[in-house]
Amino acid sequence: MTSFNTLFNRMFQEKSRTVYLIFLIQVFASFCFTIFAAFSLHGDFNVVNDTAKEAINPIIGSLAIFASIVLVTSFPANFIYWIVSSIRNEKINRSQTWRLIPISDNKFLLSNFGTAFLSYIWLEILEFVIVAITALPLFLSSGEIKTALGHANWKIDAQSCWQMLGALVLIILLGYAWYAIVTLLNLSSRSIIDFLPNGSNKFLIFVVRVITIVVVIWLLGYAGNALIGATNQILSLNISENMGMGPVLIQFLVFDAVLTLIDIFLLNKFVEAKQN
C-alpha cells in the first residue's frame, strides 16, 4: 500500500505546476500594467494623507503600483485557480493511472481535495510575499504613511483573535466543501449516465444540478453571514448581531464529512476509471 504522505506529496507537486503558471502570468500582466501606469503618470508619484502631499521616488512609486496591481489581479487569478483545480481534481478522480495506486478511496479523495486547497494557500503565499516585498519600500520611506499608521486605532483582544481564527477555519472548510460539491456533481452525473437508460438520466442529471446549485447558494449565504458577523466583531462594528462561530464550524465540519462519505461511496461503487 502507498502511504498517504507519498500520495499527498506527489499530488501537490503535480498541482503546484498550475500555481506557478498562474502566478507567472499574473506577475507578467502586473508588470505590463505597471509600465503603462508609470508612463501615464510621467514619473509624478505622490502620497496624499488628508491635505498633506508627499513626493516619492519614481522607483519606489513604481514598485508600489506593481504591488497594488498584483493585489487587484489576485482576485481573478484565484478564481481561475479554483476553476482549473476543480477540473484537475475530477480528471484525477477518473484517471486510471491515479486510481491504480494502492490506497483506500477515502485517503485518495482526502489527498486530492487537500492538495488542491494547499496549492491555493501556496498561491496566496506567493502573492502575499511579492506584494509585501514591493510595497515595503514605500512604507519605510514615506513619512505620511508612517503618520497615518501611527494615528490608526489598533484594537485586538482575545475575542477578536478567536473570531479571526474561526473565520480562517471556516474559509478552509468552505474551500473543502467547494471541491467536495464539484466532485459530488461530477460523480453523481457520471453514475446516472452509466447505470440508467438514456430517457431518464437527463432528467435526473438536471435535478441533481438544480439541487447542487441551491446547496451552493445556501452554503455561500450561510458562510457569508458568519464571516460578516466575525468581521463586525473584529472591527467593533454593530451592523448585525454576531451569530457565533462555534456552531457554524461544527455544522460545516459535519457537512464536509457527509459530502466526503457520499463521494467515497460513488467513487468506489459506481464510477469506473478511464485511461488517460
Side-chain angles (χ1 to χ4, degrees):
M1 291 288 289
T2 302
S3 68
F4 178 80
N5 290 338
T6 301
L7 178 62
F8 193 93
N9 291 335
R10 184 67 187 89
M11 283 188 175
F12 180 76
Q13 291 175 7
E14 187 76 19
K15 295 176 182 179
S16 61
R17 298 174 185 172
T18 302
V19 169
Y20 295 134
L21 178 60
I22 293 176
F23 180 69
L24 289 176
I25 294 175
Q26 179 187 1
V27 170
F28 178 76
S30 300
F31 179 74
C32 294
F33 283 125
T34 301
I35 294 176
F36 177 78
F39 277 108
S40 299
L41 292 173
H42 303 290
D44 185 19
F45 297 95
N46 299 288
V47 173
V48 179
N49 180 25
D50 294 330
T51 58
K53 185 177 181 180
E54 177 188 12
I56 58 176
N57 183 280
I59 296 178
I60 294 178
S62 298
L63 289 174
I65 292 176
F66 177 78
S68 301
I69 295 176
V70 171
L71 185 62
V72 171
T73 56
S74 66
F75 294 99
N78 293 344
F79 177 76
I80 291 173
Y81 172 79
W82 281 100
I83 299 301
V84 173
S85 62
S86 298
I87 296 173
R88 181 59 180 161
N89 277 5
E90 300 317 304
K91 288 183 177 180
I92 290 177
N93 284 337
R94 298 204 64 210
S95 170
Q96 192 176 73
T97 302
W98 285 100
R99 292 285 299 279
L100 287 176
I101 296 176
I103 197 169
S104 62
D105 289 335
N106 59 336
K107 291 181 179 180
F108 182 87
L109 273 181
L110 288 176
S111 178
N112 199 9
F113 296 158
T115 51
F117 192 80
L118 184 62
S119 298
Y120 169 70
I121 298 298
W122 180 231
L123 176 60
E124 290 282 311
I125 292 174
L126 293 175
E127 292 171 341
F128 173 80
V129 168
I130 195 169
V131 169
I133 291 176
T134 52
L136 185 61
L138 178 63
F139 284 90
L140 295 178
S141 61
S142 174
E144 294 299 328
I145 291 181
K146 292 178 182 178
T147 301
L149 291 176
H151 292 162
N153 183 20
W154 304 99
K155 181 182 178 181
I156 300 178
D157 53 21
Q159 185 65 23
S160 297
C161 291
W162 279 113
Q163 290 295 323
M164 287 188 288
L165 180 61
L168 178 61
V169 175
L170 179 58
I171 292 173
I172 293 174
L173 293 177
L174 186 61
Y176 183 92
W178 164 260
Y179 288 121
I181 289 174
V182 172
T183 295
L184 176 62
L185 179 61
N186 180 58
L187 295 182
S188 59
S189 299
R190 178 52 52 187
S191 301
I192 293 172
I193 291 174
D194 290 343
F195 289 93
L196 290 180
N198 291 333
S200 59
N201 59 22
K202 293 182 180 179
F203 174 74
L204 286 178
I205 291 175
F206 173 76
V207 171
V208 169
R209 290 176 178 176
V210 170
I211 295 176
T212 302
I213 292 174
V214 172
V215 170
V216 169
I217 293 174
W218 169 83
L219 199 66
L220 293 176
Y222 192 58
N225 289 334
L227 291 175
I228 290 173
T231 303
N232 290 342
Q233 182 161 340
I234 293 171
L235 299 178
S236 300
L237 300 176
N238 296 319
I239 298 176
S240 64
E241 181 180 356
N242 188 279
M243 60 189 302
M245 293 297 295
V248 177
L249 294 178
I250 293 175
Q251 293 168 12
F252 266 83
L253 183 62
V254 173
F255 181 79
D256 287 351
V258 172
L259 283 182
T260 302
L261 292 176
I262 297 175
D263 288 341
I264 291 173
F265 176 76
L266 291 174
L267 187 67
N268 186 35
K269 300 296 183 179
F270 295 104
V271 178
E272 295 291 336
K274 65 178 182 179
Q275 293 183 349
N276 295 336

